[in-house]
Amino acid sequence: MAADNALAKLDALLSEVSSGVGGVAAQLAPAPVAISVANAGVRPASGTAKPVPSGKAKGAPPPPPEPAAPEDPVAAVEFARKLELALSVGEECQTVDDLRNLLAKKPNFTCYDGFEPSGRMHIAQGLFKAINVNKLTSVGGTFVFWVADWFALMNDKMGGDLFKIQTVGKYLIEVWKAAGMDMSRVKFLWCADEITFKAATYWPKMLDIARCFDLDRIKKCCMIMARAEGKLTGAQILYPLMQCTDIFFLRADVCQLGVDQRKVNMLARDYCGKVGIKLKPVILSHHMLYGLKAGQQKMSKSDADSAIFMEDSAADVERKLMQAHCPREPPVMTAEEAAAAAIAAAAAEADPMHLVKDALQNPCLDYVKHIIMSRPGATFSAGGRTFTDAADVRSAFVAGDLSEQQLKRALVEAVNEVLQPVRDHFEHDPAARELLAQVREFSKEPAPPSLRRLELLGAADKACIVCAPVITGHVTLSAVFSTARRLQAAPAGCLPVLWVRDWSAIALGCYDGQPKPISASIGVLLGALEALFPQLMARTRVLWQSEAILRDPSNYWISVIDVGRRFSLKELVALEPPPANDQAGYVVKVLMHVADMLALSPTHVVCDPAERALFEFADAYRAQHAAALPATRVETIAACTLQLREPSLSVAEAECEYSVLDSAANDAGAKMKKAFCALGDAERNGPLRVAQELIRLGGKLALKRKLEDGGDVEYTDPALLEVDFRASKVHPGDLKPPVVALVSAALNAIQAKLKETPEAKKAEGDLRTALKALAKVKK
């Protein structure tokens, strides 16, 4: 009989949880009505993400079976209790099935919340968070607080002073200790420290997330006012990318943040779908407390009377709550007010602060439910009655059985009771008292402007920077000769520096953002340059972006963030035409480029004409914010185009140009045979251009022909070859064979160089493997 009763209770609890109308969501009329069911499925990603089709896809694996409830009736009831308690934390859970699976398979799971140390702590961040943390740790969770000092820096909190931001973080931790948070299963990790120590893990993940989403998707995660008014900055695009990265960096199983952060957390689930991660993080989005004034959808730190703060005096609490907005019924609106409310509601629907409709929006009832009675077993006494359910308090107030004065007086007493331990802690603990005094002073002190950057080269180096091409497939001879031509243009007395943007290539989606083939392609490019231009490369310094950043990742990324704070998104996307500029990874690349130039501080740059605006943009930033660094003279040299024929639907790009991995025996002649080479046409003539570059390299073009056709001739001057070809003195049939010979010699030299060292051999092998994978995807 006991077992039957236990199983019956289990069925009832599970039924309530699954339907979202149990202890978590049930409300008495006219209580709020949930607009997002507890076990709602994942929203399809917007922008470039494609919705998941319904039904079973061909060849798709079957969905994982739902974990069975424990067979032991007592254990089953305990499991249902834990699930119900965990769900009580959130206004929405994405998804209940995922949470159920997590509790069944991973009893000791990791929860995460990030907070910006940005000043005083209001009651929701203090007491409400402590209550939610204790609920989740009591059912097996370890709660990791990500002290987001870098995020506060991006949002210009504390004047962008990292020391002040971290001091505020220490103050907030003291508040939680005093508020009753169970610290036995709580960890505090500092964003700046953790990211600096594990930069090689964190930043590539952020760059990969950036390459997966377009700007429209990322902008949905940003503040609605900034979006509507077109005031988004570059840093505000970085913010959600980094916050999404945090989830994977911390290996979080549950993201427990407010509804206002829901879209960023859902970005993490969307990313899982894009890259094939099966176990998606559970999103538990807690309720956002209303501000104390009429119409305030949430509390505001900038309006001291919109919220109770954790160090407020008893008199402050009484004053704020006694004058708080406290409606008993929804307001009666005029037609004009109703129209304005409809517009506001539509905006709120697009960027919801609450997922539960509440016609009253009574902050006093909100405090009763989420602050006073949210703890298991809590009661609330008002008007001579003791309530055990917040819904009963609401019903009594709406019905007139509880007056506004009775509700507010009781709430003042209850709030002061739960805040008193915090006041006592900051009054009697000297260290805590000092922290609070510092935080209060910080708001009065403006932060002096400062420049933080990675320092790689100085003015004495007189560096001439050439950026290695961002390669997306085969390493072509065109890329090799274009790079060499720009390095050769370095002025006398300048150090030629080849800057390898391997991390920027991740953000741009090269090789699907995989670091190994990106590095391999550059390794092969360098091998080809060393084979064909040994003297040039002997005097050239090669710097890899990733290695340089990891020397001092903190200062580098702070400089990236600082650049993002100073420029609007409109200014950044204007540097290149669409579609190149519509991806989040593009914005990250631009910000990194400015930080790169600050680190390199070159006196000269030689670049492709298409990148001139980007380099001038970086130098304009230097002139305004780092005037002590040398000015940069920008020179452009067009890319060397050695295309043999035009690609088409039936002809792949790789077949239209020589790759450094082509076979001298097979590909050199086969590609040349199909090359376009019209008699007298020197404008669209790949074989002629290839011949000219190889002659400049020191080769001799020896034409073999009959006496009546002009006899044998040898060209060592590329200009003379072009003159004769334009005059139809050189026939295409006579030109191609000696060009094949020169190409074969160049390819053989490259292949020999790539076999000289284990690193070069590995780069060649990794690139061949990546190219095969890309070819399969295209098919």
Side-chain angles (χ1 to χ4, degrees):
M1 181 66 70
D4 291 342
N5 290 338
L7 288 173
K9 184 176 181 181
L10 170 64
D11 289 341
L13 283 170
L14 290 177
S15 175
E16 290 176 349
V17 170
S18 298
S19 62
V21 295
V24 181
Q27 300 287 337
L28 297 176
V33 179
I35 60 172
S36 178
V37 296
N39 59 347
V42 183
R43 290 185 180 180
S46 60
T48 57
K50 298 179 180 178
V52 179
S54 60
K56 183 177 179 181
K58 183 178 180 181
E66 185 176 312
E71 294 183 2
D72 176 25
V74 176
V77 171
E78 174 62 10
F79 178 82
R81 183 196 69 80
K82 288 182 176 181
L83 179 60
E84 179 79 357
L85 186 59
L87 284 170
S88 72
V89 168
E91 196 164 275
E92 179 195 58
C93 176
Q94 290 282 352
T95 65
V96 174
D97 286 343
D98 287 349
L99 179 60
R100 184 186 290 112
N101 185 65
L102 179 67
L103 292 177
K105 294 187 175 181
K106 191 176 180 181
N108 297 306
F109 54 93
T110 300
C111 304
Y112 141 83
D113 186 6
F115 70 93
E116 282 187 21
S118 56
R120 301 172 67 193
M121 179 184 279
H122 54 58
I123 198 168
Q125 190 179 8
L127 279 172
F128 190 30
K129 174 52 67 176
I131 293 168
N132 287 338
V133 167
N134 290 348
K135 286 180 179 180
L136 289 173
T137 56
S138 72
V139 299
T142 295
F143 213 101
V144 176
F145 275 101
W146 189 234
V147 188
D149 41 4
W150 276 32
F151 288 86
L153 180 67
M154 273 194 288
N155 285 333
D156 207 18
K157 301 297 173 65
M158 297 291 116
D161 187 314
L162 195 59
F163 171 77
K164 291 180 179 180
I165 290 168
Q166 291 176 339
T167 301
V168 173
K170 295 173 184 177
Y171 151 72
L172 299 181
I173 293 172
E174 288 297 316
V175 174
W176 277 317
K177 289 178 181 177
M181 184 181 289
D182 179 7
M183 295 295 178
S184 62
R185 295 179 67 91
V186 173
K187 297 178 181 178
F188 292 94
L189 298 179
W190 293 82
C191 175
D193 293 340
E194 292 294 318
I195 291 176
T196 297
F197 295 143
K198 301 173 184 176
T201 299
Y202 185 91
W203 294 110
K205 174 61 73 174
M206 186 278 282
L207 296 170
D208 191 58
I209 292 170
R211 65 109 187 162
C212 285
F213 295 98
D214 61 23
L215 283 173
D216 285 341
R217 176 65 179 90
I218 301 302
K219 285 192 287 187
K220 290 180 180 179
C221 301
C222 302
M223 295 182 296
I224 188 169
M225 286 302 294
R227 294 202 314 263
E229 297 174 11
K231 294 182 179 179
L232 283 176
T233 66
Q236 287 171 313
I237 297 298
L238 281 177
Y239 192 109
L241 295 173
M242 290 177 66
Q243 188 171 334
C244 183
T245 304
D246 295 341
I247 296 168
F248 300 98
F249 182 70
L250 298 172
R251 299 180 181 275
D253 301 304
V254 176
C255 301
Q256 204 292 283
L257 294 90
V259 170
D260 61 333
Q261 301 299 314
R262 177 187 182 278
K263 289 185 177 181
V264 178
N265 292 328
M266 290 301 295
L267 188 73
R269 289 181 66 93
D270 292 347
Y271 175 72
C272 289
K274 285 177 173 287
V275 299
I277 297 175
K278 292 182 180 179
L279 295 179
K280 300 179 180 181
V282 175
I283 313 300
L284 268 177
S285 304
H286 66 244
H287 173 76
M288 300 295 294
L289 283 179
Y290 295 119
L292 293 176
K293 297 180 178 179
Q296 290 183 328
Q297 292 295 302
K298 69 171 185 174
M299 296 175 291
S300 171
K301 291 182 181 179
S302 61
D303 182 355
D305 286 338
S306 73
I308 303 298
F309 289 86
M310 293 300 292
E311 76 278 6
D312 275 352
S313 67
D316 287 332
V317 171
E318 180 176 14
R319 175 181 59 80
K320 291 180 182 182
L321 289 179
M322 292 307 295
Q323 67 185 20
H325 181 57
C326 190
R328 196 182 302 275
E329 57 186 23
V332 178
M333 293 183 287
T334 65
E336 292 78 7
E337 291 172 334
I343 294 173
E349 198 74 24
D351 204 42
M353 197 63 65
H354 301 91
L355 300 176
V356 173
K357 291 181 179 178
D358 181 2
L360 286 184
Q361 297 188 14
N362 185 319
C364 295
L365 293 176
D366 218 27
Y367 272 46
V368 170
K369 178 179 179 180
H370 294 286
I371 300 297
I372 305 305
M373 302 192 72
S374 184
R375 290 184 175 88
T379 61
F380 177 69
S381 297
R385 295 174 58 184
T386 297
F387 298 89
T388 59
D389 191 328
D392 293 337
V393 179
R394 181 187 180 96
S395 296
F397 178 72
V398 170
D401 297 334
L402 192 62
S403 72
E404 180 177 334
Q405 288 296 308
Q406 288 173 325
L407 174 64
K408 288 184 173 181
R409 285 292 175 193
L411 184 57
V412 168
E413 182 179 346
V415 169
N416 275 323
E417 182 179 348
V418 294
L419 287 183
Q420 193 57 45
V422 179
R423 298 184 189 124
D424 292 343
H425 179 67
F426 282 94
E427 180 179 351
H428 301 302
D429 186 291
R433 185 169 60 247
E434 175 61 22
L435 276 174
L436 179 57
Q438 283 184 281
V439 170
R440 285 173 171 165
E441 284 299 314
F442 286 165
S443 61
K444 303 175 184 178
E445 302 174 3
S450 62
L451 173 71
R452 296 181 66 173
R453 67 183 181 98
L454 171 66
E455 296 184 28
L456 293 176
L457 302 172
D461 292 302
K462 293 184 178 180
C464 177
I465 300 299
V466 173
C467 290
V470 177
I471 302 169
T472 59
H474 290 266
V475 180
T476 64
L477 282 183
S478 295
V480 174
F481 282 101
S482 296
T483 304
R485 186 182 290 180
R486 291 170 188 145
L487 288 170
Q488 290 167 337
C494 282
L495 171 69
V497 175
L498 184 61
W499 180 242
V500 178
R501 298 173 289 185
D502 53 334
W503 273 13
S504 293
I506 297 175
L508 294 175
C510 301
Y511 301 101
D512 290 330
Q514 299 302 308
K516 181 184 287 188
I518 290 171
S519 297
S521 68
I522 297 299
V524 169
L525 174 73
L526 293 176
L529 285 167
E530 290 168 3
L532 302 182
F533 303 91
Q535 293 180 343
L536 172 65
M537 295 307 293
R539 66 176 188 269
T540 296
R541 184 183 299 183
V542 179
L543 293 177
W544 290 70
Q545 186 185 46
S546 57
E547 293 177 359
I549 292 171
L550 291 176
R551 295 181 193 178
D552 187 2
S554 180
N555 276 321
Y556 177 82
W557 287 104
I558 286 175
S559 71
V560 171
I561 293 166
D562 197 45
V563 174
R565 289 166 57 200
R566 297 177 190 275
F567 289 104
S568 70
L569 184 60
K570 285 183 178 180
E571 291 174 293
L572 298 174
V573 299
L575 293 172
E576 287 188 30
N581 63 0
D582 64 0
Q583 295 296 121
Y586 163 80
V587 173
V588 176
K589 180 209 77 169
V590 171
L591 299 180
M592 290 177 68
H593 177 81
V594 179
D596 291 348
M597 293 304 105
L598 290 176
L600 294 165
S601 57
T603 56
H604 292 77
V605 164
V606 183
C607 65
D608 187 278
E611 288 197 301
R612 184 182 191 99
L614 189 59
F615 281 98
E616 291 178 341
F617 178 77
D619 193 55
Y621 179 85
R622 174 211 57 79
Q624 185 172 0
H625 302 289
L629 298 179
T632 303
R633 180 178 178 180
V634 180
E635 179 185 349
T636 62
I637 294 181
C640 178
T641 304
L642 303 180
Q643 193 174 65
L644 299 174
R645 56 176 172 153
E646 293 292 331
S648 65
L649 293 176
S650 59
V651 181
E653 289 186 15
E655 298 299 315
C656 300
E657 192 168 355
Y658 283 122
S659 160
V660 299
L661 296 185
D662 279 346
S663 164
N666 300 319
D667 298 315
K671 288 188 175 181
M672 184 59 68
K673 183 178 180 180
K674 298 177 181 179
F676 178 80
C677 187
L679 180 65
D681 185 354
E683 302 303 326
R684 297 177 301 144
N685 197 316
L688 176 61
R689 299 304 170 210
V690 172
Q692 289 177 300
E693 291 300 329
L694 293 173
I695 290 173
R696 290 189 184 98
L697 197 59
K700 296 179 181 180
L701 187 74
L703 271 67
K704 301 294 183 181
R705 53 190 180 183
K706 296 177 181 179
L707 188 60
E708 58 267 27
D709 294 328
D712 296 346
V713 64
E714 189 175 84
Y715 287 95
T716 58
D717 182 350
L720 179 59
L721 174 62
E722 181 169 339
V723 169
D724 284 355
F725 191 88
R726 287 181 181 275
S728 300
K729 293 180 180 180
V730 177
H731 191 277
D734 295 328
L735 175 66
K736 287 186 176 183
V739 177
V740 170
L742 289 178
V743 170
S744 297
L747 293 176
N748 284 330
I750 292 170
Q751 291 298 315
K753 176 61 70 173
L754 293 176
K755 290 177 172 56
E756 282 186 2
T757 66
E759 294 79 11
K761 287 181 181 179
K762 185 177 186 305
E764 179 185 356
D766 288 345
L767 182 57
R768 290 188 186 277
T769 300
L771 292 173
K772 288 180 181 178
L774 287 176
K776 288 181 180 179
V777 171
K778 289 180 179 180
K779 288 180 180 179

